Amino acid sequence: MRFRKSLRAFARDERGVMLAEFLIMLPLVIWGLLALFVYWDVFKTINITQKAAYSISDLLSRQEVITPAFLNGLPGVLAFLTPGTQGSRMRITSFEYNQTTNKYVVLFSCSPGNSIDLPLTATNLDQMKPTIPIMDNMDSMILVETWVGYQPDFDTGLLNVTGTLDGLTMTQSILTRPRARRVCLAGPPECAPACA
């Protein structure tokens, strides 16, 4: 009888329940705080890489003829504008539109430091036509493409349910109309078909 009474009293006793619940929830709260930090950092990095690509595109749009030395200095600018990222690459393409043939003409396409092997061709640009604004005859544009690696400070993947952000690469493609008629790469001929 006495044992039953003590068992009932123990079952009704709620002292220490909050502490037990807190200890059960603590790992989830810590994981949630880390996940919020990581996802905030991801969106901050996306914003930074987008602004960096726009800045480089604007810098190029103010030029008429650029030299290979100028072009090869741009990865340093991108690295400076995207601190804390894991390696960055870019490809710069200057092209114009020929209304008579309804084709894009690539003035030059190259990757400073040869970080991207394949330059863009007129065929690639034709495939991108839905994303390129309508252009007048002999109008030109600059396409700046950036690839910036991201490595999170914490891996918040919970038993592979939420996925992981390891090895994430953030890409940006910025089209800008130059202030002059076109942007060319210095060298013979004036608008070189590739980086020399």
Side-chain angles (χ1 to χ4, degrees):
M1 195 66 132
R2 205 167 185 195
F3 177 71
R4 284 185 189 171
K5 274 188 180 178
S6 7
L7 197 57
R8 278 191 206 130
F10 177 75
R12 288 191 202 123
D13 187 9
E14 294 182 1
R15 288 178 296 172
V17 170
M18 286 179 61
L19 179 62
E21 288 175 354
F22 174 74
L23 290 175
I24 291 170
M25 293 301 292
L26 184 62
L28 188 59
V29 170
I30 292 172
W31 176 83
L33 288 173
L34 289 176
L36 284 174
F37 171 77
V38 168
Y39 285 105
W40 176 83
D41 193 46
V42 167
F43 287 112
K44 181 189 83 163
T45 306
I46 289 170
N47 191 15
I48 287 170
T49 58
Q50 189 175 48
K51 286 179 181 177
Y54 271 109
S55 298
I56 290 170
S57 184
D58 183 60
L59 177 67
L60 288 166
S61 74
R62 297 168 189 268
Q63 312 299 316
E64 286 186 53
V65 177
I66 57 176
T67 63
F70 178 88
L71 211 56
N72 288 328
L74 291 176
V77 175
L78 181 61
F80 175 77
L81 293 174
T82 56
T85 56
Q86 303 289 319
S88 53
R89 301 173 294 146
M90 73 168 69
R91 178 171 53 200
I92 297 162
T93 305
S94 178
F95 64 96
E96 59 188 9
Y97 176 68
N98 187 331
Q99 197 170 32
T100 309
T101 60
N102 192 26
K103 298 278 182 194
Y104 296 110
V105 177
V106 176
L107 302 177
F108 72 88
S109 178
C110 62
S111 175
N114 294 322
S115 55
I116 310 259
D117 292 336
L118 299 173
L120 276 182
T121 63
T123 306
N124 299 131
L125 289 171
D126 281 337
Q127 294 168 352
M128 297 169 62
K129 198 166 191 170
T131 62
I132 298 174
I134 297 171
M135 299 169 67
D136 286 333
N137 188 36
M138 301 313 287
D139 201 7
S140 67
M141 294 197 99
I142 303 162
L143 173 62
V144 174
E145 300 167 283
T146 61
W147 292 265
V148 177
Y150 177 76
Q151 184 71 35
D153 293 330
F154 306 100
D155 186 5
T156 57
L158 184 63
L159 300 176
N160 293 328
V161 174
T162 58
T164 183
L165 296 172
D166 286 345
L168 180 67
T169 301
M170 300 181 187
T171 60
Q172 297 291 331
S173 294
I174 309 297
L175 280 161
T176 307
R177 190 168 186 258
R179 296 175 188 226
R181 190 176 93 66
R182 62 186 183 176
V183 177
C184 296
L185 183 64
E190 181 193 357
C191 283
C195 277

